[in-house]
Amino acid sequence: MNRIIALTAAALLGFAAPAAATTVIKAGHGTHTTHPTHLALVKLAEIVDAKSHGEMKIEIYPDRQLGEEREMVEGLQLGTVDMAVVSTGPLVAFVPELGVVDLPFLFKNSQHAYKVFDSEIGQGLLAKFETRGIVGLAWWENGWRSLTSKKVVKSPADLKGMKLRTMQNPVHIAAFKELGAAPIPMVWGEVFTSLSQGVIDAQENPVTIIYSNSLWEVQKYLTLTRHVYGPHVALFSKIAWDRLTPDQQKILTEAMIEATAYQRETSARLETEQLKLLADKGMIIEDVDIVPFQEATAGTAAAFKNIDPAVVAKIKAAAN
């Protein structure tokens, strides 16, 4: 009652009531501002701003401004980064069980992937981040990974000895060794220069990454192997999460559902559009028979103790 009287008196005297403090969330990612992940973070910020009536703001730091992906994840643990959306590349070092989603040719199509990530399988994997001081919020889409190279690749034999950049992901590295390539793990910030200087001959990434980073300038061929479905994982610092009120946590959780749908739709649309644009830029786009690639990498899972065969079986069964 005293607070109401004080506020009324302040209004009568011409003083404005004190404004509610604004909660600022710093969110980082490693892609360009044209990538669907950045666009979805912009959408998320708009939704959160509207739902909180301006009391919550998300500041977005694209293109590794808050560090390389592993550095951002470490920042989440330390509380120096509030939120990050990263590829699975560095995450296996924090949650080894996550390696299962990086197995080659695991998912039949995007709908299969969405079904798995939104099910108890995907949510269970996100829950494992909590013991690492991180809150797993959602699975976004980086896209289907394919190969770019300086020479044509039509079969695994064409990869023999090829210096191919991969993420710092042991599952990806093992798969490309089985294909006969010489995989070189490398942070993304070094890739374009390494391709232009001949340090590496090839790399693999989704179409949206290939286009937004102008890789047509240093790579002639794009081979649509679609060997791995690449998720982006939306993560939040547990330290920062615990500073939010229950209402703020609810706002962010609900907004994430809407932003996730938007992100996936945008990713699929841009992949189709940008494939055409890459061809216009002069890249030679090759469709190949993926069966030899599937056969060559069939044993990848067996090399990893943290990949549960039962989980692999559940994921494959979800395609039916």
Side-chain angles (χ1 to χ4, degrees):
M1 178 64 74
N2 289 339
R3 174 172 168 77
I4 294 172
I5 293 171
L7 290 174
T8 302
L12 290 172
L13 291 171
F15 298 114
T22 301
T23 298
V24 177
I25 296 166
K26 294 185 177 181
H29 65 91
T31 60
H32 287 186
T33 55
T34 56
H35 191 275
T37 285
H38 180 82
L39 301 176
L41 278 170
V42 172
K43 172 67 75 174
L44 180 70
E46 292 171 354
I47 299 168
V48 167
D49 181 63
K51 285 182 176 290
S52 69
H53 304 291
E55 292 181 9
M56 294 174 70
K57 301 286 185 184
I58 297 179
E59 293 180 354
I60 306 166
Y61 295 84
D63 204 17
R64 309 184 310 281
Q65 289 182 30
L66 299 184
E68 294 289 348
E69 288 192 326
R70 185 183 178 107
E71 293 170 334
M72 283 191 278
V73 178
E74 291 170 347
L76 294 175
Q77 292 180 308
L78 296 171
T80 55
V81 175
D82 298 324
M83 181 180 176
V85 185
V86 299
S87 66
T88 54
L91 295 180
V92 177
F94 298 86
V95 179
E97 297 89 341
L98 211 70
V100 67
V101 305
D102 285 309
L103 289 173
F105 304 105
L106 178 66
F107 296 104
K108 183 177 180 180
N109 51 39
S110 296
Q111 293 306 316
H112 178 202
Y114 302 157
K115 183 179 178 181
V116 169
F117 288 128
D118 295 340
S119 74
E120 63 178 13
I121 299 171
Q123 297 310 300
L125 289 171
L126 286 181
K128 292 183 182 296
F129 281 99
E130 189 160 357
T131 61
R132 309 299 292 178
I134 297 170
V135 178
L137 291 177
W139 296 95
W140 285 5
E141 180 168 288
N142 196 20
W144 290 91
R145 305 184 76 87
S146 287
L147 297 170
T148 69
S149 55
K150 293 180 179 179
K151 67 175 187 177
V152 66
V153 174
K154 292 190 175 181
S155 71
D158 296 322
L159 286 171
K160 187 174 182 180
M162 185 179 287
K163 294 178 291 182
L164 184 146
R165 179 267 178 181
T166 69
M167 293 192 292
Q168 295 167 307
N169 183 314
V171 180
H172 288 192
I173 293 167
F176 278 106
K177 283 182 177 178
E178 290 179 343
L179 285 165
I184 300 175
M186 183 182 294
V187 296
W188 182 244
E190 299 175 4
V191 174
F192 189 94
T193 301
S194 296
L195 286 169
S196 65
Q197 294 178 348
V199 176
I200 50 178
D201 305 310
Q203 67 86 52
E204 49 87 46
N205 252 305
V207 168
T208 49
I209 293 290
I210 294 166
Y211 180 78
S212 62
N213 287 274
S214 305
L215 291 192
W216 66 81
E217 295 179 4
V218 288
Q219 298 275 264
K220 184 176 181 179
Y221 294 94
L222 166 57
T223 305
L224 297 177
T225 49
R226 297 171 69 86
H227 50 274
V228 168
Y229 174 86
H232 261 172
V233 191
L235 303 170
F236 212 91
S237 166
K238 184 69 164 57
I239 294 171
W241 184 260
D242 289 343
R243 287 199 297 262
L244 300 177
T245 67
D247 283 344
Q248 289 175 327
Q249 292 174 354
K250 183 180 179 183
I251 286 170
L252 193 56
T253 301
E254 291 178 350
M256 184 60 67
I257 295 171
E258 188 174 340
T260 297
Y262 172 83
Q263 199 272 350
R264 290 172 178 175
E265 291 167 3
T266 303
S267 181
R269 175 178 58 81
L270 288 179
E271 178 176 324
T272 300
E273 293 175 1
Q274 291 173 356
L275 263 177
K276 296 176 182 176
L277 292 172
L278 286 170
D280 291 342
K281 295 290 186 181
M283 285 197 90
I284 299 171
I285 300 174
E286 298 278 355
D287 281 306
V288 292
D289 178 8
I290 64 169
V291 172
F293 294 88
Q294 289 175 313
E295 292 174 346
T297 57
T300 303
F304 295 91
K305 294 180 181 179
N306 292 307
I307 294 179
D308 186 347
V311 175
V312 176
K314 283 184 181 179
I315 291 173
K316 289 183 176 181
N320 301 324

